[in-house]
Amino acid sequence: MTEFLASLDQNALLALPWMFEFWALPHQLPPSGAWKTWVIMGGRGAGKTRAGAEWVRAEVEGAGPGDPGRSRRVALVGETVDLVREVMVRGESGILACSPPDRRPEWQAARRQLVWPNGAVAQVFSAHDPDSLRGPQFDAAWADELGKWKKAGETWDQLQFALRLGKGPRAVVTTTPRNVGVLKAILKNPSSVITHAPTEANRAYLAESFLAEVAARYGGTRLGRQELEGVLVEEDEGALWSMQLLDRIRVDEAPAVTRIVVAVDPPVTANKTSDECGIIVVGADTRGDPRQWRAVVLEDASVKGASPEGWARAALMAMDRHKADRLVAEVNQGGDLVERLVRMIDPLVPFRAVHATRSKMLRAEPVAALYEQGRVAHVRGLQALEAQLCQMTVTGWQGSGSPDRLDALVWALTELMVDPAGHIGRPMVRSL
């Protein structure tokens, strides 16, 4: 870096602070290709606002201060006019702060607009007033925190009608993800592109005390997934599990158990694009009245793209880590080959083959009931599994691909709690 800086002349050094491409993080740079909407989705403090402001700059600025850029009419849309002004325009990462002195636009408060030296104009709009977007027309737009908008659908629709100038009008959306219909629809649109980053990605510009505090308080929770990891947490209508329920059952330390099983849901194929191999470890305290038994999900050891031998070894390693009593595996796809594969590695492994004779939803319902009764806990760090749980509904699986982690969990809890046919004797209590 020192050698590079020494090679620059005085003008280049003066320009360097304003060259965002040099300093930007990968998620802050526009993707290539002919997209119409770029969604920058990230956690709090991940640098979304700076990315949006710099994109507007890149759209309106030309080679020189007076030269035209790609866009000349820009819509700046936020939850309220005040938030647009204080965050998108005048904020620490807003347009004014990011603009070099010779290209800095003038803020005309009375007209709620920015005017650049080259004549480009950006107008301010509130998502509380979708009809204010009727009439004006634009060739670019920046929509901030769309997930919070009260009238998100109406405002976004009106903005699309207004983006009708130029050869290829485009919009950037900077938002912390929320489970709202308009955002999900934008993400699914073929003309949309997405970049994503957690809060942690921008740690160089954030206080260490802030990162430590929010990680300790919200790590492993639904709110943490949304606000820190920048992940869209979806809960489909009629879901058998909810994130609110899962937030309540997490524990910092696993309770004592008497049995532990590792359950496997093998993929049909074995390559980089195949479904995951679900491998879930669950323990249960099976002393006394079965109606009082309690279980705890100890680990999600699932693997993706592994060979049959690879996922078999991963399952056996999980058994060894937790000193599990039994390996349970669904054999609908592989039949006896699944057991033979496992026994090639460990001939003495306690193994039980299970067959899926009912739908995933019907198998999952009695397991979901255990959660509703407060009889299942989760150790922290099972976010991928929990995301799948929230997409299993009374009408079936609503996610993409196969819910392999969920399937493995269902087999494990069925073995331990729903239909404990393999329960023999009363093993010694284990403190984990």
Side-chain angles (χ1 to χ4, degrees):
M1 177 63 77
T2 302
E3 184 178 345
F4 168 74
L5 293 175
S7 69
L8 301 179
D9 60 27
Q10 186 66 20
N11 286 336
L13 282 171
L14 291 173
L16 194 59
W18 311 106
M19 295 174 61
F20 187 59
E21 295 85 351
F22 182 78
W23 304 103
L25 297 168
H27 70 279
Q28 295 177 306
L29 295 174
S32 58
W35 49 267
K36 189 176 188 314
T37 305
W38 171 27
V39 182
I40 308 171
M41 200 159 61
R44 298 282 189 94
K48 303 184 296 297
T49 302
R50 178 67 185 272
E54 293 285 0
W55 180 80
V56 171
R57 270 194 61 206
E59 284 290 299
V60 302
E61 291 180 7
D67 296 330
R70 182 184 184 279
S71 301
R72 293 186 61 80
R73 300 283 297 177
V74 182
L76 303 176
V77 189
E79 185 179 9
T80 66
V81 168
D82 287 348
L83 284 172
V84 176
R85 182 185 65 242
E86 297 304 321
V87 176
M88 301 169 70
V89 175
R90 298 171 58 180
E92 292 183 4
S93 299
I95 294 170
L96 292 178
C98 295
S99 299
D102 63 338
R103 296 158 189 254
R104 184 168 294 138
E106 176 192 358
W107 170 240
Q108 298 180 351
R111 303 190 66 182
R112 295 179 179 174
Q113 65 181 22
L114 285 169
V115 180
W116 275 264
N118 64 4
V121 176
Q123 293 178 258
V124 168
F125 297 90
S126 165
H128 283 284
D129 184 14
D131 284 342
S132 64
L133 285 161
R134 292 180 180 270
Q137 52 186 356
F138 308 98
D139 46 15
W142 173 18
D144 187 49
E145 291 298 352
L146 180 143
K148 291 172 54 184
W149 295 358
K150 300 299 183 185
K151 300 180 180 179
E154 296 174 63
T155 305
W156 182 253
D157 287 344
Q158 293 302 325
L159 181 59
Q160 299 315 292
F161 288 123
L163 281 169
R164 55 181 186 263
L165 291 181
K167 294 182 179 179
R170 302 188 295 182
V172 162
V173 176
T174 52
T175 189
T176 303
R178 289 195 176 187
N179 188 28
V180 294
V182 64
L183 178 57
K184 292 192 288 186
I186 294 170
L187 295 176
K188 292 177 181 177
N189 195 315
S191 64
S192 297
V193 293
I194 303 135
T195 58
H196 165 266
T199 300
E200 180 74 17
N202 203 32
R203 69 174 307 130
Y205 301 98
L206 301 172
E208 286 295 330
S209 58
F210 161 77
L211 291 170
E213 176 68 18
V214 294
R217 182 172 295 185
Y218 302 110
T221 69
R222 177 186 184 279
L223 192 61
R225 290 270 288 166
Q226 175 178 288
E227 303 292 331
L228 299 180
E229 298 179 39
V231 174
L232 180 62
V233 181
E234 296 190 65
E235 293 178 10
D236 290 277
E237 186 176 352
L240 298 183
W241 285 265
S242 72
M243 273 297 171
Q244 287 82 359
L245 181 150
L246 296 172
D247 281 346
R248 294 196 300 268
I249 65 170
R250 295 191 190 96
V251 294
D252 295 314
E253 186 175 341
V257 298
T258 58
R259 293 192 69 211
I260 297 175
V261 301
V262 174
V264 182
D265 184 66
V268 178
T269 58
N271 54 61
K272 292 182 179 180
T273 61
S274 64
D275 291 327
E276 294 172 309
C277 175
I279 304 174
I280 302 295
V281 185
V282 181
D285 183 350
T286 57
R287 294 172 291 176
D289 186 344
R291 292 172 295 183
Q292 303 301 319
W293 291 357
R294 297 288 186 273
V296 56
V297 184
L298 299 169
E299 184 185 355
D300 179 354
S302 303
V303 293
K304 183 175 178 62
S307 66
E309 181 181 350
W311 59 252
R313 289 191 180 279
L316 290 170
M317 289 170 63
M319 285 193 72
D320 185 61
R321 281 195 299 275
H322 294 274
K323 301 297 184 284
D325 304 285
R326 176 168 290 174
L327 180 66
V328 178
E330 181 181 323
V331 297
N332 281 50
Q333 302 296 338
D336 294 339
L337 292 175
V338 174
E339 182 173 1
R340 272 186 275 169
L341 174 64
V342 171
R343 293 202 183 281
M344 284 176 60
I345 303 170
D346 184 353
L348 301 179
V349 61
F351 181 90
R352 183 182 179 193
V354 291
H355 299 263
T357 58
R358 299 187 298 166
S359 70
K360 294 180 186 296
M361 188 276 293
L362 291 176
R363 297 199 307 271
E365 275 191 325
V367 172
L370 294 174
Y371 281 78
E372 292 176 6
Q373 295 163 1
R375 296 174 60 192
V376 183
H378 282 196
V379 299
R380 298 188 183 277
L382 302 174
Q383 292 94 327
L385 168 64
E386 292 172 351
Q388 285 194 356
L389 294 180
C390 292
Q391 294 181 78
M392 177 57 74
T393 75
V394 293
T395 59
W397 169 242
Q398 301 300 313
S400 60
S402 178
D404 300 288
R405 298 167 191 262
L406 183 153
D407 282 343
L409 172 80
V410 168
W411 289 126
L413 282 167
T414 299
E415 164 73 14
L416 287 169
M417 304 273 285
V418 179
D419 182 24
H423 180 66
I424 301 173
R426 300 199 179 278
M428 293 179 63
V429 177
R430 311 174 195 191
S431 296
L432 300 176

